[in-house]
Amino acid sequence: MSSLQIKKNYRCVPSLQQFYSGGPFVVSSDGSFIACANGDNIKIVDSSNASIKANIEVDTDAGLTALALGPNDKFLFSAGHSRLIRVWDLSTFKCVRSWKGHDGPVMSMACHASGGLLATAGADRKVLVWDVDGGFCTHYFKGHKDVVTNIMFHPDTNKTLLFSGSADATVRVWDLLAKKCIATLERHFSALTSMAVSEDGWTLLTAGRDKVVNLWDLHDYVCKMTVPTYEVLEGLCVVKSGTELASILGSCNQQSGKRKDRSSPIYFVTVGERGTVRIWDSECGVSLYEQKSSDVTVSSDTDDSLRGFTAAVILPLDQGLLCVTVDHHFLFYSLLGHPEEKFQLILSKRLVGYNEEILDMRFLGEEEKFLAVATNLEQVQVYDMESMSCSYVLAGHTEIVLCLDTCVSSSGRPLLVTGSKDNTTRLWNSESRNCIGVGTGHMGGVGAVAFSKKWKNFFVSGSSDRTIKVWSLDGISDDADQPINLKTKAVVAAHDKDINSLAIAPNDSLVCSGSQDRTACVWRLPDLVSVVVLKGHKRGIWSVEFSPVDQCVITASGDKTIKIWAITDGSCLKTFEGHTSSVLRASFLTRGSQFVSCSADGLVKLWTVKTNECTATYDKHEDKVWALAIGKKTEMFATGGGDAVVNLWYDSTASDKEEAFHKEEEGVLRGQELENAVLDADYNKAIQIAFELRRPNKLFELFSELCRKKEGSSQIEKALHALGKEEIHQLFQYVREWNTKPKLCHVAQYVLFGVFNILPPKEILEIKGIGELLEGLIPYSQRHLSRIDRLVRSTFLLDYTLHGMSVIEPDTNATEMKDAGNKLSVENADQEQELTSEMLKEKTPSKKRKSNKSKDSSRKKVKGAAYTSVAPFSLEV
């Protein structure tokens, strides 16, 4: 058996992030990305895998209401409740222009095909047209009696027409040259939701919540046809000729024999509250295709859950159809045509924009290529681990799914069991994506489920009705059309409060339950006989799990602790403290020698059981971490919580060790290069390497050595010229530290002098964080300046003393060059000496004769000294 490799670190990969919270969105001209409103931010999302390319922060109170893309996807226009219209450059993701125009929120925007004009529709019933480059208003239109909800330029640039739809059930046509309304189209009886223009440019299609589509002739602005759809419409788009969808529709139309004339029809797509896609023929006014059902199809008229579509867009380059659902899912449909049968729309991809809160998740399948996620919905979402796009959903519950568990049956079938707030459990076959069993009998929401680990022939459920049930999987068939009713093998009233978690032992002999009553109970299977009760937590228990190798159980509680218990006597073996909030999940890793925990404070911690130590702490969530899934093979794990983010964690212990080794090896080589550069007196290269290796001591030695050289200033200038802004910032940090010490300050000031000589003030101020660094330099520099000033002043007294002793003689040329300050200092010194002598005379008159004698004797001694024969010398200043 191989030795255990203790994991020391995990690398986090944010795999599933929320990017759309409802509202406006816009698709690029090539369909490669989608710009979505997510609260007060704009997310630029890759349409292939839902990865976020960029995040544009608008305002804290922006409340985005409209988005539009310019031609060639160069600029993005945004507006919201702040009434500010912004222009964003998508190459730099920065705002290049902004202005205010409307008296209320902007509800819709459209950019002209030329890119020079932007039309906005507001809640103030106005329609305005703006010059994009200048930011000024070119057209001001009034006439609508309610909120203007839609705006659209005529796609033909030669026709200067602008269409606006309002909640007053009218469509107005504006002439941009005449600057007036040339037609008012009144045939709707409810608010307009969508508009489109035919490919030939002479037919306008309008859809509203009055369940009809009107076709308008743009020659005389009369309604030439009304198509009843019998559903509230939210999206309308025209199928262009030459596309794959248009050719398939034409062939189907000819085979059906519905068309008698040879005129080119107008095919258009509608979506609405039913949650199905329908394609219509404008000439016949009939539906050529209707989707039988989808994941968002409304089952009945009384269904109040979030259902239906809010928008539809035909993607360019024959990429299919994009539909957006009420619960913020982006559904990509592709065509599947048959030569003899009608075509079908196949769901090719699903991007989930918003999940609200992730409650539970598990890896699915033998190879663990899928991740099943339970959110605040009645559906279970299954994600592909490679692309992290939602592969499919499992729909059947009538209330939100609270918990789930997965296994691979003895026959190799990947199974999934779910517990819901609708008091039922459901068994799913993930290959056929069907529900094959339903378990009813609980009187409360099912908050915990667990599959058999060894025999895979039963599962256990725990509910808020405080009971535990064992469900048998005997007689389950894969090809059953309808799910069968599951039978219970045993039932027990287990706790005094809600049951939060269940875990089954690796040998299927025991099951452990954790409850809000602050206890965990171990039961013998299959008859649910109590074995031991684990007491010691001060708050409810959120998670329980058996060790894969030892006879012990780990529990996570709301009292911020994690405990490991012995099954034999129910004693607490170890207690782990470190979380600052309720611990919601805990699972074993590395064959029971480690475990990972997550809590309500958003932290994920890695623990080592033997040492009772927390090996690592990760802060990658912004809210409670409710869900934790452990991979059985790779021991990677996934976390999710209230921030609607799913993070995948990979073991990086080996890679970190290898990276540290390579970094150390590279550091040794670079250190040798540094020493060679110093020996070769190549100071420029040496300083550059010292910066790369972050060696401030070596850098100080190099600068101090250059200070002592005659040509040091020029070499320092050359070295400083080669530094970038980040290195200059690092240099200022080093200089700030050197400047605090008197022994090192002269080198620091010398380097500062060189930096200020080379860089202009504007470039210095552009360095990030330079203000704080300069604030740390100024007080110590002032202190050093005052200290040197005191030393210079003290030298004046020495000069005067030496001059009075005739040791030096003043240099006339030098004295002329001295400034007035030096003269004043000398005069002050003379005056001070005279005052001192006078004061001494007044105080000691009796000792005058004695002092004169001493002076005379001292003079005699000086005359007799050997150095009196030396001529006075001049002191160079």
Side-chain angles (χ1 to χ4, degrees), residues 42 85 140 234 277 304 327 391 565 629 658 768 841 846:
I42 302 173
I85 302 170
Y140 181 91
E234 298 291 343
V277 179
D304 295 332
D327 51 358
S391 299
W565 310 80
E658 184 178 359
K768 188 176 181 181
K841 288 177 181 179
S846 60

Side-chain angles (χ1 to χ4, degrees), residues 400-422:
I400 64 172
V401 179
L402 299 175
C403 58
L404 57 86
D405 196 12
T406 60
C407 78
V408 179
S409 65
S410 56
S411 60
R413 298 177 298 170
L415 300 179
L416 187 143
V417 62
T418 57
S420 171
K421 206 172 180 179
D422 59 6

Side-chain angles (χ1 to χ4, degrees), residues 51 166 441 538:
S51 62
S166 171
K538 298 178 182 179

Side-chain angles (χ1 to χ4, degrees), residues 539-555:
R539 293 289 186 272
I541 296 175
W542 287 103
S543 175
V544 295
E545 185 175 307
F546 283 94
S547 171
V549 291
D550 297 324
Q551 293 187 358
C552 60
V553 176
I554 187 171
T555 59

Side-chain angles (χ1 to χ4, degrees), residues 602-712:
L603 298 180
V604 178
K605 289 180 177 287
L606 179 65
W607 305 80
T608 302
V609 176
K610 186 177 180 180
T611 60
N612 278 42
E613 293 180 352
C614 177
T615 306
T617 301
Y618 309 99
D619 187 8
K620 296 296 183 180
H621 286 277
E622 298 178 356
D623 207 340
K624 298 177 182 178
V625 185
W626 288 109
L628 173 65
I630 306 292
K632 297 179 181 178
K633 288 191 172 182
T634 59
E635 286 203 335
M636 63 171 287
F637 64 90
T639 56
D643 55 359
V645 175
V646 174
N647 289 327
L648 297 180
W649 304 80
Y650 298 91
D651 181 18
S652 61
T653 304
S655 60
D656 289 349
K657 186 176 181 180
E658 184 178 359
E659 183 180 354
F661 175 76
H662 288 304
K663 190 174 182 180
E664 184 180 358
E665 184 180 10
E666 184 180 358
V668 171
L669 295 176
R670 296 292 287 173
Q672 187 61 46
E673 290 182 14
L674 175 61
E675 297 298 331
N676 295 338
V678 172
L679 292 176
D680 297 339
D682 189 355
Y683 291 100
N684 292 345
K685 184 178 180 181
I687 290 174
Q688 193 71 29
I689 297 175
F691 268 111
E692 293 177 4
L693 298 178
R694 296 290 189 269
R695 294 185 180 179
N697 293 334
K698 192 67 178 179
L699 202 61
F700 177 80
E701 293 177 3
L702 293 173
F703 281 126
S704 61
E705 189 172 349
L706 288 175
C707 289
R708 293 191 292 268
K709 293 197 172 189
K710 294 182 178 180
E711 299 179 354

Side-chain angles (χ1 to χ4, degrees), residues 423 441-447 461-469 491-499:
N423 305 347
H442 281 292
M443 302 302 294
V446 181
S461 65
S463 169
S464 60
D465 62 4
R466 309 166 189 177
T467 62
I468 299 175
K469 294 179 182 287
V491 182
V492 66
H495 292 273
D496 296 333
K497 291 185 179 180
D498 296 358
I499 297 173

